[in-house]
Amino acid sequence: VTVGATAGVSLWPSDSALPEELLRKADVALARAKAESRGDVRFFQPVMDADLRERSLLQNELKQAIANNQIVPYFQPVVDLATGDIRGFEVLARWHHPARGTIPPLTFISFAEDSGLIGDLTFSIIRAALRTARNWSGEPTIAINISQTQLTDPKLADKLLGVLAETGFPPHRFEVEVTENALASDIRMAKFVLHRLKSQGVCISLDDFGTGYSCLGHLAQLPVDKIKIDSSFTRTMRERGQSATIVKLIIGLGRSLGLPVIAEGIETAADAEALLQMGCATAQGYYFSPPVPAGAASELIGRRLGYDMTASA
């Protein structure tokens, strides 16, 4: 048996003279130790208390924001590199806090996962996005990211299909994006969920391809319809030969398997042109458009986004 321990420590009397307060502060230090480095020791510091209060406050505000629909969907177009036509949109969450201003998604999404609100947040965004995009001309696809936590829910597929029925959004226009890291925790449950969605016409995209675990194994086991090249490769492909080689290999793999490939993180015309020459058909990034509100997204449909435009970051 291998035994490990993580410890939080408070000191008497410098941290407090009261037993209950000493225990509370030791617990705060323990929470910090678990978050930063399991198997380690952390001594209580006043900043830990302030951080914990701030985190608790933000989590409460997040719950209210979800209930009041203050977190809204933004849409980033996926563009045909050869024509500049929009093929679809990836949906991203944006929280415009009335007092704090715009809170970065990486911040509040981690709060949502830690506090068990990620499901409420995701479905709130999905409902709003699908209602908005249901009647857009050209019938663009709408892609939603699903987290690792949600993929372990055996009812996830039925919940998503229920939202499609509720909003009247066609399943063939709906895409679910999952990362390889999200698949790693429970590949059997992920297969069950994704096959269920696929059987009802939903498209499955493997996001951040090449950055996770057993990527080729996932392509063999899962009903994948599209591969997305991670931006860490596309943004460095003109400076690093290794990145360019990886991008070419992923495009070639997609072609061999009959899977469309989408390149993420395109910020310059040179990057878009290079990908087109490599045989990549579609891409997204700030060169074409940043994520925009629903009204601006609907106005983009019908416009050619590409080489005649300047970067719109």
Side-chain angles (χ1 to χ4, degrees):
V1 177
T2 301
V3 178
T6 306
V9 180
S10 62
L11 300 176
W12 176 93
S14 57
D15 291 328
S16 177
L18 301 175
E20 295 82 0
E21 185 66 4
L22 282 172
L23 285 172
R24 188 191 69 80
K25 290 184 175 180
D27 197 43
V28 170
L30 175 61
R32 176 64 65 91
K34 288 180 177 179
E36 293 182 347
S37 179
R38 284 186 175 270
D40 208 342
V41 178
R42 290 290 184 274
F43 285 80
F44 176 80
Q45 297 176 354
V47 68
M48 294 179 181
D49 235 354
D51 290 347
L52 188 63
R53 284 195 297 270
E54 174 65 15
R55 188 176 184 86
S56 178
L57 177 61
L58 195 57
Q59 285 180 349
N60 289 333
E61 291 178 347
L62 175 62
K63 187 174 183 178
Q64 294 175 2
I66 295 171
N68 297 329
N69 297 315
Q70 293 176 358
I71 302 177
V72 297
Y74 269 46
F75 301 81
Q76 186 171 42
V78 176
V79 177
D80 186 312
L81 283 170
T83 66
D85 295 331
I86 293 175
R87 298 303 182 198
F89 292 89
E90 179 179 354
V91 175
L92 303 162
R94 292 293 183 267
W95 183 7
H96 302 298
H97 194 283
R100 301 173 185 264
T102 300
I103 300 177
L106 288 178
T107 299
F108 69 79
I109 288 175
S110 67
F111 281 135
E113 291 178 334
D114 292 344
S115 58
L117 294 171
I118 188 64
D120 293 339
L121 171 61
T122 299
F123 283 99
S124 173
I125 292 295
I126 291 175
R127 284 188 178 88
L130 298 188
R131 288 189 181 116
T132 298
R134 179 177 52 203
N135 297 319
W136 281 354
S137 63
E139 298 189 339
T141 58
I142 299 297
I144 297 288
N145 289 282
I146 298 298
S147 72
Q148 178 175 334
T149 304
Q150 293 171 290
L151 266 181
T152 62
D153 180 3
K155 297 181 180 179
L156 175 63
D158 289 332
K159 291 176 182 178
L160 290 171
L161 294 171
V163 174
L164 290 175
E166 173 190 331
T167 58
F169 196 87
H172 71 273
R173 290 179 55 199
F174 186 58
E175 296 184 8
V176 168
E177 295 187 1
V178 294
T179 66
E180 295 177 286
N181 289 338
L183 297 169
S185 63
D186 191 343
I187 186 66
R188 293 181 62 185
M189 183 57 67
K191 287 172 64 176
F192 170 77
V193 170
L194 297 181
H195 277 285
R196 170 86 172 109
L197 291 169
K198 173 76 171 180
S199 70
Q200 300 301 309
V202 175
C203 179
I204 309 299
S205 294
L206 193 54
D207 198 10
D208 299 343
F209 187 77
T211 62
Y213 307 101
S214 304
C215 51
L216 295 180
H218 290 148
L219 287 178
Q221 297 181 63
L222 299 170
V224 175
D225 297 292
K226 296 180 181 180
I227 301 172
K228 300 192 78 173
I229 306 175
D230 187 68
S231 59
S232 63
F233 300 129
T234 57
R235 286 174 179 162
T236 58
M237 65 183 179
R238 289 190 296 124
E239 292 78 28
R240 296 180 57 197
Q242 191 176 39
S243 293
T245 299
I246 291 172
V247 170
K248 290 177 184 177
L249 286 171
I250 295 174
I251 294 171
L253 178 64
R255 187 184 303 116
S256 299
L257 296 174
L259 298 175
V261 174
I262 302 171
E264 297 182 294
I266 309 309
E267 297 185 348
T268 68
D271 290 339
E273 183 63 33
L275 285 164
L276 186 61
Q277 295 302 316
M278 291 179 190
C280 185
T282 50
Q284 68 184 88
Y286 274 64
Y287 169 62
F288 304 107
S289 172
V292 294
S298 65
E299 292 176 2
L300 289 176
I301 298 174
R303 292 173 52 186
R304 293 186 72 253
L305 305 182
Y307 312 115
D308 58 340
M309 294 178 62
T310 58
S312 55

